[in-house]
Amino acid sequence: MSKTYDVIILGAGPAGLAAGLYAGRSRLDTLIIEKGQDGGQIAITSEIENYPGQLLEGETGPSLVARMTEQAKKFGAERVSDVIKSLDLSGDVKKVTGNKGEYLAKAVILATGAFPRPIGCKNEAKFVGKGISFCATCDAAFFEDFEVFVVGGGDSAVEEAMYLSKFARKVTIIHRREELRAAKSIQEKAFANPKLHFMWDSVVEEADGDELLSKMVIKNTKTGELTTVEADEEDGMFGLFGFIGLLPNTKLYEGAVDMENGYIRTDDNMHTNLPGVFAAGDLRVKSLRQVVTAAADGAIAAMQAEHYISNLK
């Protein structure tokens, strides 16, 4: 018969690893299940500047998450690499079924995160972290005095473009339609910003360059005309930010827990609508998705799981 853990944590990003650390430190029998590499979105972040207590020089996403992984390991969290296929989150014992087997626990913390919707251009993956980014808060400072392009036309895209204008010398919004979808109040601020420019009826077809992004092909959605944009010769590169939405990794939980637009609803203590089931990090409904908030969610979820388990009869 399968072992019954105190808590199973699905996902080994900052939320899952923080939950593993706190759960292990609370002497809970803890299992972290991750299908890929640790770190989630920060695993592809080349530089990190805004995590409290990080190394001031030379901190990368992989280096930060490596220390998180070791901390969780230090406090006894077990690890399994597996792809989860189904869950039964009802009852006092939750069942998680993966390709490699079945896992049982008294409590489950859902921490599988969310990922940015891809821009959808050719060679996109090659330049992520090398000119292409999906987080202005994370990476704006790296484009100080450079030219930056933003893909999108909703509230998030326009707000992030205005944020980027504090760093970049010029920001151009590339939007597939002839007018923005952002709220009128946001649009008014954008149009009044002298650093903001607009490419209407346009999509990015292809990204190019040597090691860094320095060229891209733009397609006009109405005429089909292709335009090549190249970096200023002195710069040697430019930034391309995608803000066309996030895709939460929650498909597995559909019908099991309450959601809002694909994100899991929780209270302030990370409780879902199911007893003994908690959610932490970017997959839950929240206002800010950053490493620091994901880690905080994970800590809270673990401590709430401990309280839940201690009260089980």
Side-chain angles (χ1 to χ4, degrees):
M1 186 171 178
S2 298
K3 172 182 178 179
T4 299
Y5 290 88
D6 286 323
V7 59
I8 287 175
I9 300 164
L10 301 182
L17 292 172
L21 181 146
Y22 273 78
R25 194 166 179 267
S26 297
R27 301 296 188 266
L28 296 180
D29 199 351
T30 305
L31 175 66
I32 301 174
I33 304 175
E34 168 61 57
K35 67 179 180 179
Q37 65 179 335
D38 287 6
Q41 293 181 60
I42 67 166
I44 59 171
T45 302
S46 59
E47 294 183 74
I48 289 187
E49 286 190 328
N50 58 355
Y51 188 78
Q54 67 166 78
L55 300 177
L56 292 181
E57 294 185 8
E59 186 76 284
T60 66
S63 68
L64 178 61
V65 81
R67 296 201 304 280
M68 290 183 171
T69 297
E70 287 305 308
Q71 281 182 294
K73 180 180 178 181
K74 174 185 176 182
F75 289 108
E78 293 183 35
R79 297 295 305 269
V80 166
S81 177
D82 202 351
V83 176
I84 303 306
K85 294 297 185 182
S86 64
L87 306 97
D88 182 355
L89 301 176
S90 61
D92 289 340
V93 177
K94 324 297 181 187
K95 182 168 69 174
V96 178
T97 304
N99 286 338
K100 297 180 180 179
E102 183 179 280
Y103 313 94
L104 304 176
K106 299 171 186 174
V108 172
I109 298 174
L110 310 176
T112 44
F115 58 95
R117 188 184 299 276
I119 293 169
C121 62
K122 184 179 178 182
N123 300 328
E124 180 171 357
K126 176 182 177 182
F127 292 101
V128 171
K130 298 179 179 179
I132 293 180
S133 174
F134 300 90
C135 179
T137 309
C138 309
D139 297 334
F142 304 131
F143 294 93
E144 185 92 39
D145 295 326
F146 280 82
E147 187 170 1
V148 164
F149 296 84
V150 170
V151 178
D155 290 358
S156 177
V158 179
E159 287 175 337
E160 299 290 1
M162 287 191 287
Y163 179 81
L164 285 163
S165 72
K166 297 177 182 180
F167 300 84
R169 70 170 183 267
K170 178 182 178 182
V171 179
T172 301
I173 293 177
I174 302 171
H175 188 41
R176 63 169 50 250
R177 299 179 178 86
E178 62 184 6
E179 61 181 20
L180 299 173
R181 293 181 291 108
K184 294 299 181 183
S185 59
I186 298 175
Q187 291 191 42
E188 289 171 3
K189 292 178 182 178
F191 292 137
N193 188 324
K195 281 190 173 183
L196 283 191
H197 304 262
F198 301 87
M199 293 181 70
W200 305 111
D201 301 317
S202 299
V203 294
V204 180
E205 281 282 291
E206 182 177 350
D208 204 357
D210 294 325
E211 292 299 314
L212 300 173
L213 180 67
S214 60
K215 183 188 300 185
M216 63 180 172
V217 177
I218 306 295
K219 179 181 178 179
N220 185 289
T221 57
K222 289 185 174 179
T223 67
E225 181 184 358
L226 299 178
T227 303
T228 299
V229 175
E230 296 192 52
D232 183 277
E233 191 172 337
E234 291 186 7
D235 294 341
M237 69 169 295
F238 56 79
L240 178 63
F241 286 75
F243 297 112
I244 51 178
L246 286 172
L247 300 174
N249 286 314
T250 57
K251 189 172 182 60
L252 191 62
Y253 319 131
E254 289 178 356
V257 294
D258 286 347
M259 294 189 190
E260 180 181 321
N261 297 322
Y263 292 92
I264 298 174
R265 288 179 175 173
T266 71
D267 62 14
D268 290 343
N269 286 318
M270 311 302 139
H271 293 253
T272 69
N273 59 301
L274 298 178
V277 180
F278 308 85
D282 288 359
L283 52 56
R284 74 180 192 91
V285 177
K286 59 192 301 187
S287 61
L288 181 64
R289 294 183 172 89
Q290 290 280 283
V291 180
V292 67
T293 61
D297 285 359
I300 294 169
M303 298 312 297
Q304 290 297 310
E306 193 276 333
H307 294 326
Y308 168 80
I309 291 166
S310 66
N311 290 322
L312 284 176
K313 295 181 180 179

